[in-house]
Amino acid sequence: MAVYALTGFSLVSLLSFGYLSWDWMKPSLVADVATDPMEKSLPPAFARPPHIIFILTDDQGYHDVGYHGSDIQTPTLDRLAAEGVKLENYYIQPICTPSRSQLITGRYQIHTGLQHSIIRPRQPNCLPLDQVTLPQKLQEAGYSTHMVGKWHLGFYKKECLPTRRGFDTFLGSLTGNVDYYTYDNCDGPGVCGYDLHEGEDVAWDQSGKYSTFLYTQRVSKILASHSPKEPIFIYVAFQAVHTPLQSPKEYIYRYRSMGNVARRKYAAMVTCMDEAVKNITWALKKYGYYDNSVIVFSTDNGGQTFSGGSNWPLRGRKGTYWEGGVRGIGFVHSPLIKRKRRTSWALVHITDWYPTLVSLARGNLSNVPGLDGYNVWPAISEGKESPRTEILHNIDPLYNHAKYGSLEDGFGIWNTAVQASIRVGEWKLLTGDPGYSDWIPPQTLTNFPGSWWNLERLTNGLRKSVWLFNITADPYERYDLSDQRPDVVRTLLMRLVHYNRTAIPVRYPAENPRAHPDFNGGAWGPWASEDDAEEWEGGGEPLKSRNKKKKKCKICKLRSFFRKLNTRLMSNRI
């Protein structure tokens, strides 16, 4: 039997602490009613394609924005969201690479082969080159395209780089986790390198500049040098607020009374990022872009609770398929929106931005069939019903299989040991191991350990492999209905079977020692030649070729050399 109480605390106690003080249906937080009489007259159709600014933050928790009742100050995000459209039924992916790949391609992970984990720095892997990306479609529509920030979609060969995937310019990091000042990234003991790039070159001269400031300054520079008469797309993928927890001291000082050190640093980073968004918005106005612009704000996954983030009152955290891992902060701010100052409960997924933005740009979608995303602009701008009725959160056949799952538990049609999750209408189904399943209030207490605040440790959870929730009625996933509604479980399992038939093989090759930064001038970057790329893509082993014997011998000797050299380097550094 599930336990719906804290160890040593009651739900009433939480209310008295104020952790449940904000309500999803409270008008001041959810449904902002437009009072401006000018909004009764709808704006005409766009005179020209709008400028598009897409802002993606990293590891920002669902609770960590002012208008969700947070103790973190985000006045800019609060204002932009209040004046635009808040997306309160908006979904992303639970970790970095999957969200970014789905944004850039408009396709589920099962259709790009990236359904397992992330792309790691030493893997010969990247966003499949046969995918036509969002910036490429916008280039076709006449847009100037720019990326600033974190890529994390692979870089083992030059064809994988942002400037080869549709961006005219790029300033940022290629891996998933760098120091905010030095831009160093270690992928294990002794495997460290510099990761800040300008175009396809290493930007050594930018070291020492706090990344949030550096990226904001670059956006302002791009806007200053471009003509507002020509359409522009800027993808701003902030490193913030991913670990390491680093922030300028002046922002930390604002939260000096916050007892939990990790939460204090994290809050400072969020507020710094908020001010960066303010400066970007100011630049749009200063240089004449704002009146014909669309600003989209999105998080990439749920917050990491042991690194200061909070997804309260949602269940779970980053890396899980509970709502705390996949429900994102999202809003659209634009003078071009017909019905502003409101909250939308239309179902929206991160794959939807591809067709939505290409349609806004008057681009051509006819030559990219099979997209998983929908054009949701009418739902956002006019309040119409969303064309989306379901979301495949993912099917990951490589993730650790649940101990108690079986084909029998899945009515003989689905092995419930496989990690998968799907939302259909108001129902959400999870199978396998969905990940850490607790509810964790904001870590505002000194030396707060998350394990104290488990609302439910799921005493029988380890023996389960199927969960069913009515997300509309139970957004916090407290009441598992899988036993009461086997009919719904079976229906959603059939949808998983349907999607799984369309899945392509997982792309998750073994790491290769040639990617070590010491072999690339001390920086992370492309390391495979065109010939090498084909040999390593299949999972770390050479693929068949006409010169099989010669190449196999060459590769074996090379690998042996790098393996021995890498061992010496690691022993010296350790």
Side-chain angles (χ1 to χ4, degrees):
M1 179 176 178
V3 180
Y4 295 98
L6 290 168
T7 304
F9 292 87
S10 67
L11 200 56
V12 175
S13 300
L14 284 176
L15 286 167
S16 66
F17 274 113
Y19 290 125
L20 288 178
S21 59
W22 73 275
D23 189 282
W24 281 38
M25 299 308 294
K26 187 180 294 184
S28 62
L29 293 174
V30 176
D32 299 311
V33 180
T35 57
D36 187 351
M38 292 299 292
E39 293 190 6
K40 293 182 180 179
S41 58
L42 300 180
F46 302 160
R48 58 185 186 276
H51 308 296
I52 301 170
I53 311 298
F54 196 103
I55 300 173
L56 187 72
T57 60
D58 200 341
D59 284 10
Q60 183 179 0
Y62 181 84
H63 182 71
D64 299 328
V65 65
Y67 66 86
H68 280 173
S70 179
D71 54 344
I72 299 177
Q73 301 166 23
T74 58
T76 301
L77 301 184
D78 297 345
R79 179 179 58 82
L80 293 177
E83 294 174 355
V85 176
K86 299 173 186 175
L87 305 177
E88 291 298 334
N89 204 7
Y90 174 57
Y91 286 87
I92 48 184
Q93 295 306 113
I95 48 178
C96 302
T97 296
S99 282
R100 294 161 203 275
S101 69
Q102 298 194 39
L103 165 66
I104 293 294
T105 67
R107 301 178 192 276
Y108 292 140
Q109 295 160 254
I110 63 166
H111 295 146
T112 59
L114 300 176
Q115 53 267 58
H116 180 67
S117 191
I118 59 173
I119 295 178
R120 302 192 179 278
R122 287 178 283 172
Q123 283 183 315
N125 195 14
C126 71
L127 188 73
L129 299 179
D130 61 351
Q131 294 291 325
V132 180
T133 67
L134 171 60
Q136 286 173 331
K137 295 304 297 182
L138 294 177
Q139 281 181 332
E140 290 178 8
Y143 275 68
S144 174
T145 60
H146 308 268
M147 180 181 171
V148 179
K150 173 178 168 178
W151 175 239
H152 208 183
L153 289 175
F155 58 86
Y156 78 103
K157 59 181 179 179
K158 287 188 175 181
E159 288 76 12
C160 301
L161 297 176
T163 48
R164 307 288 181 102
R165 305 311 305 270
F167 290 104
D168 296 325
T169 69
F170 169 67
L171 173 68
S173 60
L174 299 174
T175 62
N177 180 24
V178 301
D179 186 282
Y180 281 73
Y181 292 96
T182 67
Y183 299 97
D184 290 330
N185 177 25
C186 293
D187 186 41
V191 189
C192 302
Y194 185 80
D195 183 17
L196 183 66
H197 294 75
E198 173 89 58
E200 298 182 7
D201 299 319
V202 181
W204 297 104
D205 59 322
Q206 301 293 347
S207 179
K209 301 176 182 178
Y210 188 66
S211 71
T212 303
F213 294 158
L214 176 66
Y215 295 155
T216 305
Q217 292 166 0
R218 174 51 57 94
V219 173
S220 181
K221 183 178 179 180
I222 291 172
L223 293 172
S225 61
H226 187 78
S227 170
K229 295 181 180 179
E230 300 297 328
I232 190 170
F233 170 59
I234 306 180
Y235 172 36
V236 187
F238 281 117
Q239 175 187 352
V241 290
H242 196 290
T243 53
L245 299 179
Q246 297 172 303
S247 172
K249 292 182 180 179
E250 59 268 28
Y251 293 94
I252 297 178
Y253 185 75
R254 301 184 191 186
Y255 297 98
R256 60 192 180 279
S257 62
M258 191 174 284
N260 183 273
V261 175
R263 181 71 174 169
R264 185 190 312 158
K265 293 179 179 179
Y266 174 90
M269 295 165 70
V270 173
T271 296
C272 181
M273 177 273 296
D274 180 84
E275 291 194 5
V277 175
K278 179 181 71 173
N279 291 334
I280 291 173
T281 307
W282 179 83
L284 288 170
K285 294 179 179 179
K286 177 182 178 181
Y287 298 115
Y289 297 87
Y290 178 78
D291 290 341
N292 189 42
S293 69
V294 173
I295 302 173
V296 179
F297 181 90
S298 171
T299 50
D300 71 335
N301 47 246
Q304 186 56 276
T305 52
F306 54 75
S307 298
S310 175
N311 307 301
W312 184 259
L314 303 179
R315 184 176 186 175
R317 64 188 183 195
K318 173 183 177 178
T320 76
Y321 288 96
W322 304 106
E323 291 292 283
V326 298
R327 185 175 288 221
I329 300 172
F331 65 79
V332 180
H333 177 94
S334 173
L336 306 175
I337 294 175
K338 294 182 179 180
R339 293 183 56 198
K340 305 180 183 68
R341 300 180 181 274
R342 65 184 183 85
T343 293
S344 171
W345 293 94
L347 189 60
V348 179
H349 184 248
I350 195 166
T351 54
D352 296 331
W353 296 121
Y354 186 114
T356 299
L357 299 182
V358 172
S359 297
L360 279 178
R362 302 176 186 174
N364 179 19
L365 290 169
S366 63
N367 57 352
V368 281
L371 292 178
D372 294 307
Y374 295 84
N375 178 5
V376 293
W377 183 253
I380 293 172
S381 178
E382 304 172 43
K384 294 184 177 180
E385 187 174 343
S386 173
R388 176 177 289 281
T389 59
E390 64 184 49
I391 296 172
L392 175 68
H393 293 301
N394 196 25
I395 300 171
D396 186 349
L398 297 189
Y399 193 81
N400 296 333
H401 283 200
K403 184 177 180 180
Y404 294 96
S406 67
L407 190 62
E408 181 181 358
D409 289 342
F411 299 97
I413 59 175
W414 182 262
N415 183 358
T416 63
V418 175
Q419 186 191 63
S421 182
I422 189 171
R423 163 88 181 262
V424 178
E426 61 188 10
W427 296 102
K428 177 181 177 181
L429 180 77
L430 303 100
T431 70
D433 178 4
Y436 186 84
S437 65
D438 293 333
W439 297 263
I440 305 177
Q443 299 95 316
T444 56
L445 303 181
T446 304
N447 299 321
F448 169 87
S451 59
W452 289 1
W453 294 84
N454 300 339
L455 281 181
E456 178 187 332
R457 180 56 82 171
L458 278 183
T459 55
N460 64 341
L462 296 178
R463 295 180 179 275
K464 285 183 61 65
S465 62
V466 178
W467 292 262
L468 177 71
F469 300 96
N470 184 319
I471 289 299
T472 303
D474 177 26
Y476 312 138
E477 296 172 298
R478 298 188 188 281
Y479 308 107
D480 176 15
L481 302 176
S482 58
D483 291 337
Q484 293 93 316
R485 296 299 305 270
D487 57 321
V488 178
V489 171
R490 185 182 181 90
T491 298
L492 269 61
L493 288 176
M494 288 298 297
R495 293 303 296 160
L496 286 178
V497 171
H498 163 75
Y499 279 113
N500 200 43
R501 288 171 180 158
T502 70
I504 68 173
V506 179
R507 297 167 57 92
Y508 198 73
E511 295 180 345
N512 194 289
R514 285 189 57 187
H516 198 301
D518 284 358
F519 307 142
N520 295 283
W524 292 102
W527 50 268
S529 67
E530 291 185 7
D531 291 336
D532 292 335
E534 292 185 2
E535 295 177 16
W536 273 292
E537 272 186 351
E541 296 297 329
L543 300 180
K544 294 180 179 180
S545 67
R546 286 176 294 181
N547 300 319
K548 180 178 178 180
K549 185 174 181 180
K550 179 180 179 181
K551 288 197 173 185
K552 182 178 180 180
C553 180
K554 177 182 176 182
I555 295 303
C556 290
K557 289 181 179 179
L558 197 59
R559 281 181 176 168
S560 178
F561 167 75
F562 283 135
R563 193 178 297 115
K564 292 177 182 178
L565 183 59
N566 190 36
T567 301
R568 292 178 183 175
L569 289 169
M570 290 179 68
S571 61
N572 290 337
R573 293 192 179 190
I574 293 173

